[in-house]
Each structure stands twice: as C-alpha cells, then as structure tokens.
Amino acid sequence: MPLGRELPQLLKQCLLYKGRKFNFEVNRLRLPNKAEGDWECIRHPGGALAVPVTDEGKLVLVRQYRFAIQGRILEFPAGTLERNEDPQETIQREIEEETGYSAQKWDKLGEFFLAPGYSDEIIYAFLARDLEKLENPPKQDEDEDIETVLMTPEELEKAILNGEAVDAKSITSFMLARPFLF
C-alpha cells in the first residue's frame, strides 16, 4: 500500500455489508489525533487500468454505461482485482475483454487512491503499447455496455478541458502517461 499507514483504533463495528465487488463498513473509530466518531468506508480490493497507445499514437478508450451516474462516460479500460491477483494480470485480461486489443509492452505508471474520503480503493495504472487487435476477443461481462473509442492525446485533453464526461481515474492516468505521449 502506498504512503504511510496510521491505523485508527476500532472502538465498535456498527454495520458491515458484503457486496459482490466491495464491502461497506460503518465503524466507531478513534483517529490518531484522538477524535472519535462513526465513519463510513468502502473496502475495495483495488483496480488496474491501462492507457493503451496504438503504434499510430492513438489512445484506446471505452465509452461505458455506468448505472450509478445513469449515463455513459469515457474512460480507459480497467477492472477490479480478483483475490490474490497481480494488478498487471488484471489489466491484461481487462484490456482484451473491454477493447479487443492485447499489448506486448507494459510500463507501470504508478498507483493512487481513487476516493480516500470514503474508500480504500487503489488504482494501479499501466501504459500499454505494441498493441495488436485480437481476431477473436474474449466476451465482455454480461453487464458491460461498452464502445471502443480511439482518440489522439490532444483530442482527449480537449474533451477533458471541455467538460466531457471522463472519469477521475482516467484523467489521473492520462496525466501520468503524458511524458510518454507528447
């Protein structure tokens, strides 16, 4: 886990919901500064994301329907880590499922917390290059509604600055990948 950890003292576990992809907790805690209270937290196994770049310099993104926002959003391919799975294994699987591409060259861009105010989810970001289009890509998950989108880095930057719906993990990963793109 990145950054130093200072564990709070667990005074009482008030509620726990075990979901399909993550858990939700409400706990009474004593923080390192001695403040006490009830705090909600989403416990997430983490995710992996790829910034795929074609030989022509185009970025491979997906426009995906997300029920929580009741609409479609532009994002880089990503997926939730399975139990004891290495993040690079996760994203190698997900890029094929979501975009129909595979990558031969992988570089780790970094890792970051997605929403530390209420979740412990960490995103592991990778640059994916030497792409090849798969003849027979794996089937997408049943609940995925995804369209593959190719954009230049300049087009993506313009979309972000114009307020197009692009998620935070993709914007952050794009910034990490910029030295390799421009």
Side-chain angles (χ1 to χ4, degrees):
M1 171 175 238
L3 307 175
R5 288 178 47 129
E6 289 184 72
L7 299 179
Q9 181 182 0
L10 176 62
L11 302 174
K12 181 181 179 190
Q13 189 169 11
C14 303
L15 175 68
L16 176 63
Y17 172 77
K18 289 189 180 284
R20 183 172 57 95
K21 289 210 173 199
F22 57 82
N23 298 334
F24 180 75
E25 298 177 356
V26 180
N27 295 318
R28 177 159 288 277
L29 304 172
R30 180 177 295 122
L31 302 181
N33 70 357
K34 306 298 183 220
E36 291 184 16
D38 293 335
W39 279 277
E40 302 87 8
C41 183
I42 294 171
R43 299 290 182 197
H44 194 285
L49 175 146
V51 177
V53 185
T54 68
D55 291 342
E56 299 77 35
K58 297 262 184 143
L59 302 172
V60 181
L61 296 106
V62 295
R63 189 174 315 280
Q64 183 165 215
Y65 180 81
R66 296 294 194 171
F67 74 90
I69 63 167
Q70 301 173 1
R72 298 178 190 282
I73 192 165
L74 192 61
E75 52 190 285
F76 285 116
T80 301
L81 275 62
E82 300 292 336
R83 180 181 293 279
N84 300 319
E85 185 176 41
D86 180 83
Q88 190 167 334
E89 288 177 46
T90 302
I91 195 53
Q92 287 173 335
R93 177 186 69 247
E94 291 293 332
I95 190 176
E96 291 181 8
E97 288 177 9
E98 292 188 1
T99 70
Y101 284 91
S102 68
Q104 304 308 308
K105 185 173 181 187
W106 293 89
D107 298 295
K108 187 170 183 181
L109 293 172
E111 53 193 57
F112 52 90
F113 290 107
L114 189 58
Y118 58 84
S119 175
D120 65 353
E121 181 177 5
I122 295 175
I123 299 294
Y124 300 90
F126 295 88
L127 185 66
R129 293 183 280 184
D130 293 343
L131 301 182
E132 64 181 55
K133 191 78 172 144
L134 299 173
E135 258 185 62
N136 298 303
K139 285 190 167 247
Q140 294 179 351
D141 293 338
E142 186 178 295
D143 64 338
E144 290 180 320
D145 181 354
I146 295 175
E147 167 196 3
T148 302
V149 178
L150 297 176
M151 301 177 88
T152 65
E154 295 82 6
E155 289 169 333
L156 177 57
E157 187 170 284
K158 184 177 178 182
I160 292 167
L161 294 175
N162 286 338
E164 187 172 333
V166 181
D167 74 327
K169 71 183 183 306
S170 297
I171 294 170
T172 302
S173 297
F174 178 61
M175 294 305 295
L176 291 171
R178 280 179 61 88
F180 301 95
L181 304 175
F182 289 96

